[in-house]
Amino acid sequence: MSANVYSDGATTVLLAGVGGQGTILAADLLAKTAIANGLMVKLSEIHGMSQRGGSVTTVVRLGEEVNSVVCDKGSADYLLSFETTEALRNLPFLKRGGMLLVNDEQIKPLPVLTGRAAMPERPRERLLETGAYLVPAGKLAREAGSAKCANVVLLGALSKGLPFSVESWEEQIRLKVPPKTIDMNLAAFQLGRKAVEDAE
């Protein structure tokens, strides 16, 4: 890799989860919010696994100038993980001092379910030791009206670390989600923000 990939000063966000959790929608909302604020965005072309339980990672890089969508180890400014095992697996990509946001949920991947692998030990404790924000996204999404909003809860948590206005995020949510789900998604977004505020 050439040394100038990260000299562009862009912000790197790595989203990690498993198929069916809505990581792609969250990445798209992040990208559209950044573009609406006049930034350049490059998004990795990962569309997820068709089978629920497969790992899904998406890289979003945003800034005044973005030379590449590469995310090497130690280069992510933010790691947004949709469950604890994926957070541990992708932790090496987070830079020192980066922001780690994790859905406080553990999903057993297919290799574990078939007995070919074991779950990591003490995932919550290990993540807390790294300074992670553990967000009860499923619980908060149900409070907002639907467990399907967990990805927007996590996006709300991520928004606390990025320089975009709440109104800017909410505009993109209104444009992207089905009309009948707008209110619950906006509520989910606010609950995610509050979870980080309460933890700080």
Side-chain angles (χ1 to χ4, degrees):
M1 184 192 80
S2 64
N4 67 359
V5 168
Y6 297 110
S7 66
D8 54 19
T11 296
T12 303
V13 182
L14 175 62
L15 300 92
V18 298
Q21 287 191 297
T23 56
I24 304 302
L25 174 61
D28 188 56
L29 284 168
L30 167 58
K32 283 182 165 54
T33 300
I35 291 168
N37 281 273
L39 297 182
M40 180 183 293
V41 174
K42 287 193 177 180
L43 180 74
S44 65
E45 296 181 5
I46 299 175
H47 301 289
M49 303 285 287
S50 58
Q51 181 178 11
R52 182 172 177 82
S55 294
V56 179
T57 56
T58 305
V59 177
V60 182
R61 298 198 73 235
L62 48 107
E64 299 293 336
E65 178 185 354
V66 183
N67 293 333
S68 169
V69 77
V70 170
C71 178
D72 282 337
K73 288 184 177 179
S75 66
D77 298 284
Y78 300 86
L79 171 54
L80 181 64
S81 183
F82 287 60
E83 64 95 43
T84 56
T85 303
E86 288 300 312
L88 289 170
R89 190 173 70 82
N90 287 281
L91 194 55
F93 290 94
L94 186 67
K95 68 168 51 172
R96 186 182 298 276
M99 189 175 192
L100 175 58
L101 298 147
V102 185
N103 181 14
D104 194 1
E105 179 181 0
Q106 191 173 47
I107 297 175
K108 291 184 177 180
L110 192 59
V112 171
L113 294 174
T114 59
R116 290 185 288 122
M119 294 295 281
E121 295 182 4
R122 302 173 52 252
R124 294 184 81 256
E125 292 82 355
R126 290 166 62 188
L127 288 167
L128 286 170
E129 288 166 3
T130 68
Y133 291 92
L134 292 182
V135 180
K139 173 178 175 289
L140 296 176
R142 289 188 292 274
E143 284 182 24
S146 172
K148 293 181 180 180
C149 297
N151 57 340
V152 180
V153 172
L154 291 169
L155 193 68
L158 175 66
S159 75
K160 287 296 296 180
L162 292 169
F164 309 130
S165 69
V166 171
E167 294 76 16
S168 183
W169 289 101
E170 290 181 339
E171 179 183 6
Q172 297 309 314
I173 291 170
R174 288 190 181 93
L175 290 171
K176 185 69 179 178
V177 304
K180 66 180 181 180
T181 71
I182 288 174
D183 287 345
M184 71 176 66
N185 275 288
L186 292 176
F189 180 81
Q190 288 294 345
L191 286 170
R193 287 180 61 85
K194 187 174 186 301
V196 173
E197 289 172 1
D198 291 347
E200 288 177 338

